[in-house]
Amino acid sequence: VKDDVKHDATAIRTVGILGGGLMGSGIAQVCVQAGLDTTVREVSESAAARARQAVDRGLARAVERGKLD
């Protein structure tokens, strides 16, 4: 990395994730919890629906455990 290039992770506002399987949906959940605009791309509508359900379940569990408002 060049000295004149400044990296600022707080500048990231949008995240794109390719694949919403176990790892992708987990990454999506963490990004959503961090307040980032998150898009998950999947190969089919049914796969996208499963990924969305996995993220929704994970967020619901976080609320139940008091880790998310």
Side-chain angles (χ1 to χ4, degrees):
V1 177
K2 293 182 179 181
D3 290 334
D4 61 338
V5 176
K6 193 173 189 177
H7 295 283
D8 184 4
T10 61
I12 297 172
R13 300 281 181 248
T14 303
V15 175
I17 301 163
L18 299 177
L22 183 62
M23 185 181 291
S25 61
I27 293 168
Q29 179 183 333
V30 169
C31 292
V32 168
Q33 285 180 253
L36 301 173
D37 292 329
T38 305
T39 301
V40 177
R41 296 288 295 192
E42 262 298 350
V43 296
S44 68
E45 287 295 322
S46 62
R50 285 191 303 273
R52 175 68 183 248
Q53 290 169 351
V55 172
D56 288 345
R57 281 191 308 269
L59 292 172
R61 279 193 302 267
V63 169
E64 288 171 8
R65 294 177 180 161
K67 296 185 178 205
L68 184 63
D69 294 329

